Amino acid sequence: MYPSMPVLGVEAMRRLDQLAIEQDGIPSLILMERAGFGVFQKICEWFAPIEKRSVAVVVGKGNNGGDGMVVARYLHEAGARVHLWLTCDPSQFQGDPAVQWRILQALKVPALAIPDTPHPDLFRDEDLLVDALLGTGTRGAIHPPLRTLIEAMNASGRPIVAIDIPSGLNGETGEALGAAVRATYTVTMAFPKRGFFQNAGPSHVGQWVAVPIGIPPSRVTEVEPAGWIVSEPQVRAWLPCWAPDTHKGHRGHVLVVGGSVGMVGAPALSAISALRVGAGLATVACPSRVQPQVASFYPELMTLPLPDEGTGALTLEGVRWLAERLERYSVLALGPGLGQAESVGRAVLELLALWSERDRPLVIDADGLNWLARLGSETPLPSKTVLTPHPGEAARLLGLETAQIQRERFGSAQAIAERYRAVCLLKGAYTLIAAEARLWVNPFAEPSLGTGGSGDVLTGAIAGLLAQGLTPEHAAVAGAYLHAQAGQRLACQLARPYTAEELSRALAQN
């Protein structure tokens, strides 16, 4: 239906609902029916067989509760032992929820009032809880008794399916409003919400899926998405398809500049990862003191020992020696294992100036980013630059605290892209890629990627894709996707922690 799924803010989603009802003539009751049926279908998929399973639907008085009552009806008709836990007197239901309540009464679906002080034992006989308490419109802090109820649901040990959004999670910011349901699954209406991907969102949403509710696809053009979900078909369409007579010279030559005493593996990991995504050649330029160690890792890599005055760090002399050889390289990856020795800053500035004159693709990661933050946003960068900060590095690039970056990941990624006139890839659960035209959300929250060297593998993957002719935007998006996909696959296959070397090898299997 969409080449890429949009991520919407709360107001944009409300606007789509309004347009569907007021201009397209779709009754709100139909939208509610489609929403509830979509949740029911997913529950049947995840918890089959659903017949005779005990399911409690925890219902609030608003439209989210109305969606929950639709779910309860379909579950009842499918043979589940379903009942409602009500947080309000049924006389408080209005509009569409009141209609759904009358239908459930006719079907004699059991409904009980939640106790004033609910305890986790309240749910001990349930196989599954359905969270239909609060929707995306929730703003203020959650207070008892709803707060106590949410805490009891979280402590119950039962799987929870949240309708549209986990109750208590702000759909715009992802903040937990005092208390928020920790869902096992979230079935969201039409499109994922912005709050899923920052702050408490990733830890509360669980596995999410969007279900259609009948909003005409053409309406999406009338709102401004917060971002776009990266899809596998899209990534595959960007990857190069080489002719039969292709040779290594056609697939680009990646130069990785990095390495220092104690950090020799990082540039080697980046360079070998560039080869594993298809680059034709890869060379590591590193201080001469550490070059023998770097060269010992992979026979496929070439190395250049840079004059370093015995320091084991990048020096101005080393960069000037390298300058005479830069013309042979198509992409520069700067930063893996670079270190913070005082000589490095001047050398980085010189190298960036030299590379900018050639205006060839550049990826900056790790200590390269820390030096860029110190040098400032006026530092010369090529027009085809990708920055790959984690939240701490992003904070330094913007002069903020890490917590501020995490509170507003969308805005932070866009701010870095604008300040440094580059594509910004902000790492983390649901990595964000901010480019000039749009912001992308990588659809993976894979904790196994949190291992030393994982970022070096990503840097190499992006550089290798740039070497093969992808644009900075496409290389960053595709590199992040393939990197996370490889990590997720390894986590499932190995059922144990893996190393960055194993992750790099898995890139070749994509």
Side-chain angles (χ1 to χ4, degrees):
M1 182 165 55
Y2 306 96
S4 181
M5 181 179 290
V7 176
L8 296 188
V10 172
E11 290 305 318
M13 189 65 226
R14 186 176 289 118
R15 175 64 176 157
L16 286 187
D17 282 338
Q18 182 184 30
L19 289 171
I21 294 166
E22 295 178 1
Q23 296 191 24
D24 298 320
I26 302 172
S28 58
L29 197 62
I30 295 296
L31 297 178
M32 181 174 285
E33 186 73 15
R34 289 285 301 272
F37 184 68
V39 177
F40 161 74
Q41 286 182 307
K42 290 300 174 182
I43 288 174
C44 290
E45 178 183 322
W46 292 325
F47 298 96
I50 199 64
E51 188 177 3
K52 296 185 180 177
R53 283 190 182 270
S54 180
V55 183
V57 183
V58 187
V59 173
K61 67 180 180 180
N63 284 338
N64 198 251
D67 295 341
M69 286 187 271
V70 176
V71 175
R73 169 160 41 92
Y74 282 109
L75 287 170
H76 173 78
E77 292 173 348
R81 293 185 290 114
V82 63
H83 68 277
L84 308 184
W85 283 111
L86 302 178
T87 62
C88 65
D89 187 275
S91 63
Q92 294 182 271
F93 291 133
Q94 298 181 0
D96 294 341
V99 173
Q100 301 298 347
W101 170 247
R102 287 197 297 273
I103 297 172
L104 288 185
Q105 283 183 297
L107 293 173
K108 296 184 168 43
V109 174
L112 302 170
I114 288 283
D116 292 337
T117 54
H119 188 274
D121 285 348
L122 185 68
F123 307 111
R124 66 180 180 273
D125 296 325
E126 315 296 355
D127 296 316
L128 168 67
L129 305 182
V130 177
D131 167 25
L133 275 172
L134 303 168
T136 57
T138 307
R139 288 289 185 272
I142 308 298
H143 299 290
L146 284 184
R147 178 171 183 156
T148 312
L149 172 58
I150 288 172
E151 291 169 349
M153 292 170 68
N154 288 340
S156 69
R158 301 296 182 264
I160 302 174
V161 175
I163 297 179
D164 203 19
I165 191 168
S167 292
L169 191 72
N170 185 299
E172 190 70 29
T173 68
E175 294 174 292
L177 301 172
V181 165
R182 289 185 177 272
T184 313
Y185 299 97
T186 296
V187 184
T188 196
M189 304 303 108
F191 307 105
K193 310 307 185 286
R194 190 177 186 271
F196 288 9
F197 308 110
Q198 57 185 3
N199 285 307
S203 62
H204 284 71
V205 167
Q207 180 181 329
W208 66 267
V209 64
V211 294
I213 60 173
I215 294 174
S218 60
R219 288 295 179 193
V220 178
T221 61
E222 300 187 38
V223 297
E224 185 66 34
W228 299 83
I229 300 291
V230 182
S231 69
E232 180 159 4
Q234 195 163 45
V235 168
R236 298 296 170 189
W238 292 337
L239 298 181
C241 183
W242 294 106
D245 60 348
T246 297
H247 59 74
K248 62 188 177 185
H250 291 144
R251 287 159 48 185
H253 192 162
V254 173
L255 173 66
V256 179
V257 175
S260 57
V261 175
M263 293 188 288
V264 296
L269 267 175
S270 290
I272 196 66
S273 298
L275 293 180
R276 285 171 175 160
V277 298
L281 296 163
T283 295
V284 177
C286 57
S288 60
R289 181 175 168 184
V290 300
Q291 182 267 343
Q293 292 172 274
V294 174
S296 69
F297 285 110
Y298 305 103
E300 301 92 338
L301 301 181
M302 294 174 282
T303 59
L304 285 176
L306 304 178
D308 65 354
E309 302 173 351
T311 64
L314 187 68
T315 64
L316 200 55
E317 180 190 3
V319 168
R320 288 172 178 169
W321 181 89
L322 180 61
E324 301 173 8
R325 297 156 179 83
L326 283 179
E327 200 59 39
R328 71 186 70 168
Y329 305 106
S330 45
V331 176
L332 170 62
L334 173 64
L338 196 59
Q340 291 287 318
E342 195 57 39
S343 67
V344 176
R346 295 190 301 276
V348 165
L349 183 59
E350 179 84 0
L351 179 57
L352 288 175
L354 290 167
W355 193 254
S356 295
E357 291 173 3
R358 290 160 174 80
D359 201 31
R360 294 180 184 177
L362 167 68
V363 186
I364 307 182
D365 186 32
D367 279 329
L369 294 168
N370 293 327
W371 281 111
L372 180 62
R374 292 169 67 174
L375 294 169
S377 59
E378 297 307 311
T379 303
L381 297 175
S383 60
K384 298 177 180 179
T385 296
V386 179
L387 309 180
T388 62
H390 60 52
E393 293 159 347
R396 290 187 278 278
L397 288 169
L398 291 176
L400 301 173
E401 297 296 323
T402 302
Q404 292 174 280
I405 299 295
Q406 292 296 74
R407 275 199 299 272
E408 183 42 69
R409 284 176 57 82
F410 284 76
S412 297
Q414 290 169 322
I416 292 171
E418 291 169 5
R419 177 175 294 190
Y420 293 90
R421 300 167 297 283
V423 172
C424 174
L425 183 152
L426 180 57
K427 298 171 185 173
Y430 302 115
T431 287
L432 303 180
I433 303 96
E436 185 176 2
R438 61 175 51 183
L439 186 143
W440 299 91
V441 181
N442 200 33
F444 296 94
E446 180 50 60
S448 67
L449 289 170
T451 185
S454 174
D456 302 315
V457 174
L458 175 59
T459 296
I462 295 169
L465 294 171
L466 284 167
Q468 296 172 80
L470 271 69
T471 66
E473 178 180 356
H474 291 176
V477 172
Y481 187 93
L482 297 175
H483 176 263
Q485 186 183 58
Q488 187 180 77
R489 186 173 60 249
L490 272 183
C492 293
Q493 290 174 350
L494 300 179
R496 62 163 175 80
Y498 53 80
T499 67
E501 161 58 17
E502 290 173 303
L503 176 63
S504 178
R505 290 184 182 278
L507 280 176
Q509 301 169 21
N510 280 322

